[in-house]
Amino acid sequence: MLTKFQIAQRIAQELKDGYYVNLGIGIPTLVANYIPHGINVILQSENGLLGMGEFPLSEDVDADLINAGKQTVTMQKGAALFNSAESFAMIRSGKINLTVLGAMEVSENGDIANWKVPGKMVKGMGGAMDLVASAKNIIVAMQHTSKDGKSKLLKECSLPITGLNCVKKIITDLAVLQVLPTGGFELLERAPGVSVADILAATEGSLMFKSDDIPEMCFI
Amino acid sequence: MINKIILDLKPYINKISDGATIMVGGFGLCGIPEKSISALLESGVKNLTCISNNAGVDDFGLGLLLKTKQIKKMIASYVGENEEFERQMLNGELEVELIPQGTLAERIRAGGAGIPAFFTPAGVGTEVAIGKESRVFNNITYLMEHGLTADFSIIKAWKGDAAGNLIYKGTARNFNPIMATAANITIAEVEEIVPTGTLDPNEIHTPGIYVTHIYEGKDYEKRIEQLTTKS
């Protein structure tokens, strides 16, 4: 099973040179720590920053420079600042090459639920609905099962939906999967030490695989 | 020459009457109009409808006005980090309308640009779509959303001049420029008022036409919600 850091590390392998990327809160934020050498990606933060840099040194902290998770950040050379309407204009018009976000549930047709647990958590959707409705390429970072062992990769989401038919790829503590256009989770890679049987047992939705020989994830 | 400078916020904030709809700039606690929020607290105005991306924290930002129950309805995209908010919402003491952040921003932009409605894909198939008109363009379903306007906008900028021109700093820009455009009366507070003519017209973010009053605040607290540093 992967740690959340390893999930982030595996997601970082999906980055390509020149990508504009929006990273959600939680595990997705950690992806920034594993950007492969020799690759330039530009991070977009939906509160109005393109070219987000790393966290500041304590003497460089600026209250007027935060990311969408309200953490203090820095700007890379060549960064740009803009207002919230313009930020979502670039999201809605498909200029962001990759969106990485967390989820509570994903269904086998690519629906995602990540914003509300009725009666428990009602904090609001923030920018998640806008991001999932318009992103061309969405990778979800999540735990394969809940703490009490229930699958989060389902036939249908049980929680309120954030967006329909939008998730392309899922990277969990157990596996890398893609959502097939015709529905179903195709198993692409296994986490080290995790068997196909383990993944089948942890997946409620339909799990497909092209061969019985599913490769293990590779970490450099 | 035009002069929109005010030396005291109070008499202008006091014109915000019970039941008014106000837009309040900021993302989290970044770029919030601290001084105007304090003046609202002092004014004791009630039954406000507040349009703001977030609702502050328990003891800062809009959280201050929640505590005194001056807010009747909150229109926002994300309201975590605020226990008093949650309590009032669950008890039915506070009306809450949650809107996807991009839709909220575009509704404000549209309201300020004289556009009554537009179509967006955000929220299709979700509870946000309930009761909304939808239309299909190029085989994609979109929801119709309405432009938003307000009686007052209270916003925060970095620098400004007597003509009401504004420049923002960093990500403290966020919702401030669009809210400036979408209200009958816009009160901008800034860290520094500079002599008219010294701001480069090429670099002005908010043209003065949108700003009714401009106020220079002192000693901004600029509280940080998530102080994060690298070692």
Side-chain angles (χ1 to χ4, degrees):
Chain A
M1 275 179 19
L2 303 187
T3 64
K4 62 181 183 176
F5 300 100
Q6 288 172 309
I7 295 175
Q9 201 178 351
R10 177 60 191 82
I11 290 170
Q13 294 175 18
E14 305 287 317
L15 299 171
K16 293 195 170 67
D17 194 35
Y19 262 18
Y20 290 97
V21 180
N22 182 291
L23 300 175
I25 293 162
I27 297 174
T29 303
L30 299 171
V31 173
N33 300 334
Y34 301 102
I35 297 169
H37 289 291
I39 281 187
N40 283 304
V41 299
I42 296 167
L43 299 179
Q44 197 251 19
S45 190
E46 67 266 24
N47 56 320
L49 168 59
L50 199 57
M52 180 171 66
E54 50 194 1
F55 295 133
L57 293 168
S58 51
E59 60 265 36
D60 295 331
V61 166
D62 180 354
D64 291 327
L65 203 58
I66 63 168
N67 64 17
K70 294 151 192 164
Q71 297 169 308
T72 46
V73 294
T74 58
M75 294 188 280
Q76 288 186 319
K77 273 184 194 161
L81 296 156
F82 35 85
N83 70 52
S84 298
E86 181 150 19
S87 180
F88 283 92
M90 58 185 79
I91 288 167
R92 226 182 275 109
S93 63
K95 302 293 191 291
I96 306 293
N97 302 99
L98 174 64
T99 296
V100 183
L101 70 177
M104 300 176 198
E105 295 176 348
V106 173
S107 79
E108 64 184 39
N109 63 345
D111 298 350
I112 180 171
N114 72 350
W115 78 279
K116 184 177 183 181
V117 181
K120 276 190 191 161
M121 189 199 83
V122 192
K123 291 175 185 292
M125 64 292 279
M129 283 191 185
D130 311 273
L131 282 159
V132 301
S134 300
K136 287 179 288 194
N137 187 9
I138 298 178
I139 297 180
V140 166
M142 67 193 292
Q143 305 297 329
H144 212 103
T145 57
S146 64
K147 282 186 187 121
D148 51 0
K150 286 203 187 92
S151 180
K152 296 175 165 191
L153 278 68
L154 306 170
K155 288 197 185 308
E156 276 179 37
C157 293
S158 66
L159 293 169
I161 294 288
T162 309
L164 298 172
N165 306 312
C166 53
V167 175
K168 299 282 188 291
K169 206 171 230 184
I170 305 158
I171 299 182
T172 75
D173 51 339
L174 303 183
V176 178
L177 311 104
Q178 68 174 342
V179 176
L180 295 171
T182 48
F185 301 108
E186 183 186 355
L187 179 59
L188 301 177
E189 295 174 24
R190 297 174 290 117
V194 173
S195 71
V196 171
D198 294 335
I199 297 162
L200 262 172
T203 308
E204 189 223 81
S206 327
L207 189 73
M208 339 273 217
F209 30 98
K210 283 194 178 129
S211 80
D212 289 336
D213 188 24
I214 302 295
E216 268 193 10
M217 293 179 208
C218 177
F219 292 95
I220 305 121
Chain B
M1 217 183 312
I2 196 160
N3 184 1
K4 299 184 176 186
I5 297 172
I6 55 174
L7 299 172
D8 185 5
L9 264 178
K10 269 191 219 167
Y12 300 91
I13 291 290
N14 286 347
K15 287 181 186 164
I16 301 178
S17 52
D18 288 356
T21 296
I22 63 170
M23 291 185 181
V24 183
F27 184 101
L29 300 178
C30 183
I32 60 170
E34 291 180 25
K35 308 300 169 191
S36 296
I37 292 171
S38 296
L40 274 172
L41 189 67
E42 238 176 275
S43 83
V45 63
K46 292 255 186 294
N47 291 322
L48 294 171
T49 294
C50 283
I51 302 167
S52 188
N53 189 52
N54 314 90
V57 294
D58 279 316
D59 60 345
F60 200 56
L62 285 181
L64 296 170
L65 301 180
L66 282 167
K67 213 175 240 177
T68 50
K69 303 225 178 144
Q70 289 173 261
I71 300 174
K72 180 186 72 173
K73 181 175 183 183
M74 192 72 222
I75 299 175
S77 86
Y78 186 82
V79 293
E81 281 82 67
N82 193 321
E83 280 176 35
E84 177 61 16
F85 186 97
E86 215 168 329
R87 194 195 63 73
Q88 288 187 20
M89 181 169 66
L90 294 172
N91 282 351
E93 295 166 33
L94 179 70
E95 287 175 57
V96 180
E97 188 179 340
L98 294 169
I99 298 179
Q101 194 175 128
T103 299
L104 178 63
E106 189 62 15
R107 287 183 65 186
I108 296 165
R109 194 200 71 81
I115 292 175
F118 60 92
F119 288 89
T120 177
V124 170
T126 76
E127 61 188 61
V128 164
I130 295 169
K132 285 180 186 151
E133 187 178 334
S134 69
R135 266 183 78 174
V136 176
F137 298 94
N138 301 320
N139 296 319
I140 298 170
T141 305
Y142 295 83
L143 297 180
M144 188 169 79
E145 296 282 0
H146 291 265
L148 268 177
T149 54
D151 302 314
F152 289 82
S153 277
I154 55 174
I155 61 159
K156 159 84 188 351
W158 180 36
K159 289 180 184 180
D161 63 20
N165 297 307
L166 303 175
I167 289 177
Y168 306 87
K169 177 169 162 273
T171 54
R173 189 181 318 186
N174 56 65
F175 282 80
N176 285 297
I178 48 175
M179 287 180 170
T181 68
N184 288 333
I185 293 175
T186 292
I187 301 173
E189 54 179 89
V190 298
E191 291 172 52
E192 188 186 359
I193 294 180
V194 300
T196 303
T198 60
L199 293 176
D200 182 349
N202 288 300
E203 293 180 355
I204 284 166
H205 298 134
T206 292
I209 191 169
Y210 296 116
V211 175
T212 320
H213 306 295
I214 182 166
Y215 172 78
E216 186 180 271
K218 296 268 182 285
D219 304 320
Y220 277 90
E221 178 176 342
K222 294 196 187 180
R223 196 183 293 186
I224 292 171
E225 256 178 278
Q226 305 281 342
L227 179 65
T228 323
T229 57
K230 68 170 179 183
S231 39

